[in-house]
């Protein structure tokens, strides 16, 4: 469902396409279906035999395995960055960049390598796979492969970055002028002076030398500093810790940070990627003003009508949650609706066995609130979605839900629950993607199998048995 409104710098296409709009439905298939997900998913419930993890499990369909692997585009991006870094460095041997890039691209399959080198590259490949698994398990806030994980063969030359050392003979070459550094700084300060301090001082006289636009070069042999304006209003970006602020999709694609913001025609959009999926949601100008450098960055951008288009969207990267597990949870909700209290369940994805686990944590409950004590799981278990009940009340997210659901993951609420004839349970359901406290409303079929619809009170499922120990985990307050 990718849109082509980005032109050649299509942000959604970079993430592999197949995004869904908030609450968009596909009538042809009677609901949205995530790429590669199963049409049925209604096989019998199976208990875990390979692990003593609590909760109910249903294995993920085998054809969905690709959905949990890190995209090859992320690896390609790192290769591109590695190549750019090498091209910018002048000291390595001429073949160093080519050797490093070819080694990463080929995965070490080179017939010219001797046995020892093959073994070394094989170990490196295993380490990279382990890093991928750690990222999918949630050990990293971003699924992009860290630059430190891109291995460089031992025969590739690495350039040692030297700290500039200035003295009274250092000159600044800019705008056709050769200016002595002592015009800006006293001699006794030169020994500890940093390039960024030089740029800040020059910016007072030359406003175009802002941090977002300027690259400071130092030529040690000639003992000169050369400020270079590398960006303008149509190519500006800046980084603040793990957050990146970008004026174009192209800049974001090339310099993506774990938390990214794109300037668009109708404001700013936040982009986060994790093992669950890619989350894109609208951000307010006020919340971004707290970040140092943002207001200066925004002031340098062209008027909003000349910026790129963007919109909210979500891409699910895992297999969809099986119908059987949701039916268990709905049946559990039905029983506690008769006590007029709310209860909740949490869906985890086991990346080792490629299956979902439904866990009901210990919880203190009332008619309108739940105080959970979440179960501890190992790092290969990804927390994907929290779903709670609203008993006989409407399935609408409350202000309490909004304040509590601040993780970047998926959420659901089930309400208007009542028991029908022939063992049926009727209910209404709302689902959404949470983006660090912002929300993207979704049709439940985006990440749950079956014919479920939002804003419909006659969703129905068969009442089925659920684990007995769930009852022992609920305490009435």
């Amino acid at each position: 469902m990718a849109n082509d409104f980005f032109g050649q710098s299509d942000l959604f296409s970079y993430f592999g396409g197949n995004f869904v709009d908030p609450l968009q439905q596909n009538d042809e298939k009677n609901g949205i279906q995530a790429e590669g997900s199963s049409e049925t998913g209604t096989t019998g419930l199976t208990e875990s035999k390979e692990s003593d993890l609590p909760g109910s499990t249903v294995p993920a369909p085998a054809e969905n395995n690709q959905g949990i692997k890190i995209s090859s585009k992320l690896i390609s991006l790192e290769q591109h960055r590695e190549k750019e870094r090498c091209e910018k460095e002048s000291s390595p041997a001429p073949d160093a960049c080519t050797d490093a890039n070819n080694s990463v691209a080929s995965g070490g399959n080179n017939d010219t390598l001797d046995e020892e080198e093959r073994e070394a590259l094989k170990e490196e490949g295993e380490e990279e796979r382990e890093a991928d698994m750690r990222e999918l398990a949630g050990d990293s806030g971003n699924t992009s492969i860290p630059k430190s994980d891109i291995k460089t063969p031992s025969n590739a030359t690495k350039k040692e970055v030297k700290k500039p050392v200035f003295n009274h003979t250092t000159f600044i070459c800019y705008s056709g002028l050769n200016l002595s550094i002592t015009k800006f700084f006293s001699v006794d300060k030169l020994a500890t002076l940093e390039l960024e301090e030089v740029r800040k001082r020059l910016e007072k006289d030359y406003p175009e030398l802002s941090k977002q636009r300027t690259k400071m070069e130092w030529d040690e042999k000639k003992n000169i500093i050369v400020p270079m304006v590398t960006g303008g209003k149509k190519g500006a970006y800046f980084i603040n810790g793990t957050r990146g602020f970008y004026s174009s999709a192209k800049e974001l694609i090339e310099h993506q940070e774990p938390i990214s913001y794109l300037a668009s025609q109708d404001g700013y959009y936040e982009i986060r990627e994790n093992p669950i999926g890619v989350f894109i949601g609208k951000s307010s100008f006020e919340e971004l003003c707290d970040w140092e450098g943002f207001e200066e960055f925004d002031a340098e951008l062209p008027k909003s009508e000349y910026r790129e288009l963007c919109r909210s969207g979500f891409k699910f990267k895992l297999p969809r949650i099986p119908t059987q597990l949701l039916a268990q949870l709905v049946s559990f909700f039905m029983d506690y609706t008769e006590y007029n209290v709310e209860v909740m369940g949490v869906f985890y994805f086991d990346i080792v066995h490629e299956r979902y686990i439904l866990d009901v944590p210990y919880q203190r409950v009332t008619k309108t609130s739940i105080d959970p004590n979440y179960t501890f799981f190992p790092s290969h278990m990804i927390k994907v979605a929290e779903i709670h009940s609203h008993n006989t009340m409407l399935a609408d997210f409350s202000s309490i839900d909004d304040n509590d659901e601040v993780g970047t993951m998926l959420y659901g609420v089930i309400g208007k629950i009542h028991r029908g004839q022939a063992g049926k349970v009727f209910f209404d359901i709302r689902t959404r993607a949470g983006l660090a406290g912002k929300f993207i409303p979704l049709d439940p079929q985006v990440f749950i199998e079956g014919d479920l619809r939002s804003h419909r009170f006659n969703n129905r499922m068969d009442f089925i048995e659920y684990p007995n120990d769930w009852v022992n985990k609920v305490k009435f307050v």
Side-chain angles (χ1 to χ4, degrees):
M1 297 185 184
N3 283 35
D4 193 26
F5 55 81
F6 281 110
Q8 293 183 346
S9 300
D10 188 335
L11 184 62
F12 285 6
S13 293
Y14 162 68
F15 287 111
N18 298 295
F19 275 75
V20 292
D21 292 324
L23 286 178
Q24 178 178 328
Q25 294 189 11
N26 184 340
D27 295 331
E28 209 171 86
K29 291 188 179 180
N30 199 20
I32 295 175
Q33 182 172 331
E35 179 186 18
S37 60
S38 170
E39 287 286 340
T40 56
T42 56
T43 56
L45 182 68
T46 60
E47 295 296 328
S48 172
K49 295 181 180 179
E50 303 175 55
S51 160
D52 58 355
L53 294 170
S56 296
T57 65
V58 170
E63 62 267 26
N64 285 327
N65 292 351
Q66 292 299 322
I68 63 169
K69 294 181 180 178
I70 291 180
S71 169
S72 61
K73 288 194 175 185
L74 297 175
I75 300 176
S76 299
L77 178 60
E78 287 301 331
Q79 294 170 7
H80 173 69
R81 289 175 178 167
E82 183 70 19
K83 183 178 180 181
E84 282 189 336
R85 285 195 295 272
C86 290
E87 288 174 348
K88 291 179 181 178
E89 296 175 354
S90 57
S91 62
D95 293 332
C97 296
T98 304
D99 292 345
N101 198 44
N102 287 344
S103 176
V104 174
S106 64
N109 295 327
N110 191 328
D111 295 336
T112 62
L113 298 177
D114 59 30
E115 192 63 34
E116 183 177 346
E117 288 173 320
R118 284 198 189 94
E119 189 63 30
L121 288 175
K122 179 180 178 183
E123 292 176 0
E124 290 170 357
E126 291 173 353
E127 290 174 1
E128 290 178 359
R129 284 193 294 273
E130 290 177 4
D132 291 349
M133 295 298 286
R134 288 196 300 272
E135 289 168 8
L136 284 170
D139 290 351
S140 172
N142 183 29
T143 56
S144 299
I145 296 178
K147 296 177 183 178
S148 59
D149 287 349
I150 299 296
K151 307 297 181 180
T152 305
S154 57
N155 63 340
T157 306
K158 294 184 179 179
K159 180 178 179 180
E160 181 180 351
V161 179
K162 296 183 64 175
K163 180 183 180 299
V165 178
F166 309 125
N167 54 46
H168 67 283
T169 64
T170 302
F171 275 77
I172 300 170
C173 300
Y174 182 67
S175 190
L177 302 174
N178 293 325
L179 306 171
S180 172
I181 198 170
T182 56
K183 286 183 173 291
F184 304 96
F185 301 96
S186 61
V187 175
D188 59 348
K189 190 178 180 180
L190 298 181
T192 59
L193 195 62
E194 302 280 349
L195 275 174
E196 175 60 15
E197 294 178 79
V198 177
R199 187 204 61 75
K200 286 183 178 179
R201 174 60 187 86
L202 290 173
E203 187 180 6
K204 294 180 179 180
D205 296 333
Y206 304 95
E208 71 274 17
L209 296 179
S210 63
K211 184 175 183 179
Q212 295 78 30
R213 295 169 175 244
T214 309
K215 181 179 181 181
M216 300 292 288
E217 296 284 356
W218 176 57
D219 189 321
E220 180 182 10
K221 293 181 180 179
K222 297 181 181 179
N223 197 15
I224 60 174
I225 300 170
V226 183
M228 300 175 62
V229 179
T230 60
K233 291 185 176 181
K234 294 185 178 179
Y237 74 95
F238 80 99
I239 307 298
N240 187 323
T242 59
R243 296 174 186 261
F245 298 78
Y246 309 92
S247 64
S248 69
K250 181 177 182 296
E251 294 287 356
L252 188 152
I253 288 168
E254 293 178 351
H255 307 281
Q256 183 188 355
E257 290 292 326
I259 306 170
S260 301
Y261 299 93
L262 177 64
S264 177
Q265 289 187 8
D266 62 339
Y268 282 86
Y269 284 81
E270 180 176 342
I271 298 95
R272 296 196 188 206
E273 183 180 12
N274 64 21
I276 299 170
V278 183
F279 303 70
I280 301 179
K282 191 78 178 291
S283 291
S284 69
F285 184 86
E286 290 72 23
E287 70 178 284
L288 300 183
C289 286
D290 292 337
W291 296 97
E292 181 181 355
F294 170 74
E295 292 187 1
E296 293 84 351
F297 165 76
D298 182 76
E300 293 181 352
L301 295 179
K303 293 181 180 180
S304 59
E305 58 263 34
Y306 300 113
R307 302 178 192 176
E308 296 175 356
L309 291 168
C310 194
R311 60 178 170 82
S312 296
F314 172 72
K315 177 183 178 179
F316 194 43
K317 294 162 57 177
L318 296 172
R320 292 192 297 168
I321 294 171
T323 304
Q324 285 288 100
L325 288 186
L326 184 69
Q328 278 193 316
L329 188 61
V330 169
S331 300
F332 176 66
F333 288 172
M334 178 67 255
D335 280 349
Y336 279 87
T337 294
E338 296 177 352
Y339 292 103
N340 205 26
V341 295
E342 297 184 2
V343 283
M344 72 173 296
V346 185
F347 291 92
Y348 296 84
F349 189 77
D350 182 344
I351 64 171
V352 174
H353 302 103
E354 297 178 3
R355 63 185 178 183
Y356 277 97
I357 287 182
L358 169 57
D359 177 60
V360 169
Y362 286 97
Q363 50 196 283
R364 294 161 56 87
V365 302
T366 71
K367 176 179 172 58
T368 59
S369 67
I370 304 168
D371 182 15
N373 184 8
Y374 293 106
T375 308
F376 174 78
F377 282 102
S379 60
H380 63 83
M381 303 289 293
I382 305 167
K383 188 178 183 181
V384 176
E386 292 182 3
I387 297 181
H388 69 282
S389 71
H390 272 186
N391 47 71
T392 59
M393 299 181 292
L394 290 172
D396 289 326
F397 290 98
S398 67
S399 58
I400 296 176
D401 297 334
D402 292 344
N403 293 329
D404 179 65
E405 296 176 352
V406 295
T408 302
M409 53 181 291
L410 301 171
Y411 297 96
V413 58
I414 293 177
K416 286 291 181 181
I417 307 171
H418 62 280
R419 198 183 303 271
Q421 296 179 348
K424 298 289 184 181
V425 180
F426 291 81
F427 58 93
D428 184 21
I429 183 171
R430 302 285 188 279
T431 52
R432 63 187 182 182
L435 175 58
K438 295 182 283 291
F439 303 104
I440 307 166
L442 299 174
D443 192 287
Q445 294 178 83
V446 171
F447 63 93
I448 302 172
E449 292 179 347
D451 184 21
L452 298 174
R453 300 290 182 89
S454 286
H455 305 282
R456 191 176 80 177
F457 296 132
N458 62 343
N459 287 294
R460 68 188 70 185
M461 284 187 165
D462 289 330
F463 185 95
I464 63 174
E465 296 298 322
Y466 51 83
N468 292 328
D469 68 332
W470 287 3
V471 176
N472 300 326
K473 294 182 176 181
V474 179
K475 181 178 182 180
F476 298 102
V477 178

